Amino acid sequence: MIEEVQKHSVHTLVFRSLKRTHDMFLADQGNPPPLDEQADKLKMSIKAKDEYKAVMHLVEANKHSRAKGASGGYNDDQFHKHNGRQENQMGMELVPLSTNVRDNMDMNDATSATTVSEGMQRTSSTSSSIFSSQTLSLSGVQHKVALIPRKPVSVPKPKWHPPWKLYRVISGHLGWVRCVTVEPGNQWFATGSADRVIKIWDLASGNLKLSLTGHISTVRGLVVSPRQPYLFSCGEDKQVKCWDLEYNKVIRHYHGHLSACYSLALHPTIDVLVTAGRDSVARVWDMRTKANIHTLTGHTNTVADVVCQASEPQIITGSHDCTIRIWDLAAGKSKATLTNHKKSVRALVIHPILYMFASGSPDNIKQWMCPEGKFIQNLSGHNAIVNCLGLNSDGVLVSGGDNGTLHFWDWKTGYNFQRIQAPVQPGSIDSEAGIFACTFDHSGSRLLTAEADKTIKVYKEDETATEETYPINWKPDILKRRRY
């Protein structure tokens, strides 16, 4: 008859197993496992080969030379005292570098290798031929490992730029001036305002030439075509209009935006118009047929600015969702999203010469390298909501703030060489000192700003300033370039 096995719970069985294990290993719990000599030797040989393979032959040579020294009656201590050398624990020589070797450490690799060898030969002139050969081979190893001169971090000094000064204030609008653009011939410029009117002004004299009415809400974006006599405008009334400047009339409407349109840009080489706005998308239009070619979706908040260039990326957008997106125009898809900004990106500007662009946000102005959008550096210090950026070919970057401040930066170094607080129009309150848009004319010698006191201000370089009267007050700040 089969004896019935008593059944226990899993908890009881596990506890018994633990107890047996405890009893079994309690005796030698504190003792380490026995050392395997063969495994230890193998481990040490692998370590030695890995770290000292280049100088292993010197150990054997040292042993032979010591044996010869002992047989010749030449004491080890006397030998080392005589040569002024030291030995490490491996029995290898540590040869002190001579003065001329240390002096020439910043020379190029080939020269420094030769200098080290010559210095070692001079240092060991009194030693035996065996030791001099060892010294040469060891010095070669030292050169490879330790004597490569490290290049110092160089911070370039900023280029001197003359200070800018206000020389003209143009009034005429009845509301906030929200946008400004200069025509390709550099003869006139256009402004759009909250009074729903587009005004065209003579650039040289500042006189009003023309007023265009048609928008039923604030005009937020303007751009003049370099290839056709067309002016494009967009506004908070969701409308995108094409004006024929030969007849001063609207000839095309581009319908599609679901909310206010805040920015627009023309492609420099093909007849394509890109608009962006509060519906979180950028739309690509065929200029002639008015067709909505692409709707660039991906942003999760208002798209505040859009810029175009001929090379990749052909379209760049900045949004209130704190991101910048780089777009593939052919596919109509986002190629990359730059998430470095911590606050909304309201302004973008493309460098006219270099393959770079900048973005403005209340936390920082950031510089980027095209085409993949590699971060270059931060321009910190404009502690305001940055509404606009301007850039000329001399490397002067301008940022305009919501509090009426203008900061001028050297593009290459990020040095803030001038700060201006523009005076408001008489009769305006100080809180109306906001700058909504800024742009340089095509010569780069005039700066136009569109402001909240209903004026357009024109700045130019101070011709009387010199490097002596307006010196660069610059100190290199290594910690400035935080990589994020």
Side-chain angles (χ1 to χ4, degrees), residues 98-115:
S98 61
T99 311
N100 53 348
V101 175
R102 279 197 295 271
D103 291 342
N104 294 321
M105 272 182 70
D106 58 342
M107 293 176 68
N108 59 37
D109 291 346
T111 313
S112 59
T114 312
T115 312

Side-chain angles (χ1 to χ4, degrees), residues 167-229:
Y167 88 102
R168 178 173 290 150
V169 178
I170 301 169
S171 58
H173 277 293
L174 302 177
W176 287 355
V177 188
R178 299 302 303 241
C179 51
V180 59
T181 186
V182 181
E183 64 99 13
N186 220 36
Q187 300 294 312
W188 51 267
F189 66 95
T191 56
S193 166
D195 61 7
R196 303 164 298 179
V197 179
I198 300 166
K199 289 183 182 287
I200 292 175
W201 314 81
D202 184 66
L203 186 60
S205 64
N207 295 330
L208 179 65
K209 298 177 76 169
L210 185 67
S211 292
L212 300 173
T213 57
H215 279 282
I216 57 173
S217 190
T218 304
V219 182
R220 293 294 295 264
L222 287 171
V223 64
V224 185
S225 171
R227 293 198 304 279
Q228 296 100 349

Side-chain angles (χ1 to χ4, degrees), residues 116-135:
V116 170
S117 302
E118 290 170 1
M120 293 299 179
Q121 285 171 343
R122 280 196 288 274
T123 307
S124 58
S125 58
T126 56
S127 65
S128 63
S129 60
I130 297 171
F131 272 90
S132 64
S133 65
Q134 280 179 249
T135 305

